[in-house]
Amino acid sequence: MSRFFTPTLAALTPYTPGEQLAVADLVKLNANENPYPPAPGVAAAVAGTVAGLRLYSDLRQTKLTEAIARRCGVPASWVLCGNGSDENLLLAIRAFCDGGTPLAFADITYSFYPVLCDLLGVPKRVVPLRGDFTLDPADYRGLGAAIVIANPNAPTSLLAPTAAVEEILQANPDRVVIVDEAYVDFAGPGASCLPLVKDYENLLVVRTFSKSRSLAGARLGFCVGQPGLIADMNRVKFSYSPYNINSMSEAAGAAAMEDEDYFRRTVAAICETRAAAAAGLRDRGWQVLDSATNFLFARPPRRPAAEILEELRRRRVLIRHFDAPRIRDWLRISIGTPAQMQRFFDALDEAEGAAPAAR
């Protein structure tokens, strides 16, 4: 770093994203990206914005916001779009936390939460998960903090029931509870906390287009909450980045949101492949958690996880390993197409030096 870097941020450890390699014939299962292309209407929608790119984008993202509101069953005033769900998280933490209001989150969860706290000067309250990586609502009582819960959680892939989240909401009526639902579309019916938004003024649900809508490169997310919360976040947004969504991303998101049939087909395909991949790993003796996401969190039975990671990388298959307490023996494996998962298993069998066990 230079000698001009502010001392306040000198100790900041940035977020570490999944490795991005420009390598031919690579099977990329390390960033939880969707293996299928965006909905068919997305390309035409993006192309249709070209003539208007000389103008600033819509400050309110009216077309996209209305499409999201229709799908979520809320008024448009309950929706705020962000440059990826990460920006929605930043806006929320900036709006609802400060030196006197910490942010509480699990010890094993999305690693961007502590980075945002450090960047914004927000104190952290780390709440350990149970030994089986599940969340205990009782641990979130009396913290005197805003709370963020990734549900389903990353990297564990586990889903907390909505009743558990509701218990946390009821125990913290004077603090905002952010539920980060980046993966909830892969969790099945009844998994989302969106229906609770109408009953709890302190609930903010954050979603992304990066996973189930195949738009990771568009950098697009949104959140849903009662109008007071959305107004607070808009005040922050308009104080630093009023044109936060470009016209092309807005058009892509609206087209993707409107094509419900394509969305359902691709989500179903990923869930089907997920079940087959989990079975394949269990056949090989791996411990695999019950995933409600588009990835698996699994522990190899013989070789260390870090060694498996490197062996697969040499075979041009990327997965993810977190060298952190409690989970360094585990690997996160994004779900690809059936062909990509076959490449993964072929490489894995070579890496482990053993053929799969018979079913």
Side-chain angles (χ1 to χ4, degrees), residues 108 133 297-300 303-307 321-331:
I108 305 170
F133 300 145
F297 199 55
R299 181 164 62 181
R303 300 184 63 180
E307 288 185 11
H321 176 247
F322 299 89
D323 188 16
R326 299 185 67 190
I327 58 170
R328 58 173 48 97
D329 295 333
W330 295 75
L331 291 164

Side-chain angles (χ1 to χ4, degrees), residues 82-310:
N83 192 278
S85 61
D86 290 338
E87 185 181 48
N88 288 119
L89 292 167
L90 184 151
L91 293 173
I93 295 169
R94 178 67 283 172
F96 308 121
C97 300
D98 57 20
T101 303
L103 182 70
F105 48 85
D107 62 332
I108 305 170
T109 192
Y110 184 29
S111 57
F112 203 52
Y113 303 149
V115 173
L116 286 173
C117 286
D118 291 342
L119 178 66
L120 299 173
V122 171
K124 303 183 286 286
R125 295 284 186 273
V126 178
V127 183
L129 296 175
R130 295 180 177 121
D132 62 357
F133 300 145
T134 59
L135 174 151
D136 186 349
D139 293 336
Y140 290 83
R141 295 175 186 158
L143 296 178
I147 296 166
V148 61
I149 301 166
N151 198 41
N153 194 24
T156 67
S157 80
L158 298 177
L159 177 74
T162 55
V165 177
E166 189 166 17
E167 184 177 338
I168 293 170
L169 285 163
Q170 292 171 349
N172 296 274
D174 298 319
R175 302 294 182 185
V176 171
V177 177
I178 305 164
V179 181
D180 184 353
E181 293 190 340
Y183 301 99
V184 77
D185 290 327
F186 304 100
S192 176
C193 290
L194 266 177
L196 299 178
V197 168
K198 296 176 182 179
D199 298 323
Y200 293 93
E201 64 175 349
N202 61 327
L203 172 60
L204 185 76
V205 175
V206 177
R207 295 278 193 92
T208 181
F209 283 76
S210 297
K211 316 302 181 185
S212 58
R213 301 283 176 177
S214 304
L215 289 176
R219 306 312 306 129
L220 194 60
F222 67 94
C223 58
V224 178
Q226 292 195 17
L229 296 186
I230 299 302
D232 294 342
M233 294 174 65
N234 263 318
R235 187 167 183 174
V236 176
K237 184 192 96 166
F238 281 99
S239 298
Y240 98 104
S241 182
Y243 299 101
N244 62 330
I245 307 297
N246 68 68
S247 300
M248 293 178 288
S249 289
E250 181 186 359
M257 187 59 70
E258 295 290 2
D259 197 336
E260 187 71 8
D261 288 342
Y262 183 81
F263 160 76
R264 292 186 183 279
R265 287 199 306 273
T266 54
V267 166
I270 289 168
C271 290
E272 182 179 350
T273 306
R274 180 185 70 194
L281 287 172
R282 290 178 178 130
D283 285 347
R284 290 161 171 81
W286 288 50
Q287 180 182 354
V288 184
L289 299 188
D290 292 329
S291 176
T293 65
N294 68 337
F295 61 88
L296 298 174
F297 199 55
R299 181 164 62 181
R302 293 176 289 275
R303 300 184 63 180
E307 288 185 11
I308 295 290
L309 177 88
E310 290 305 318

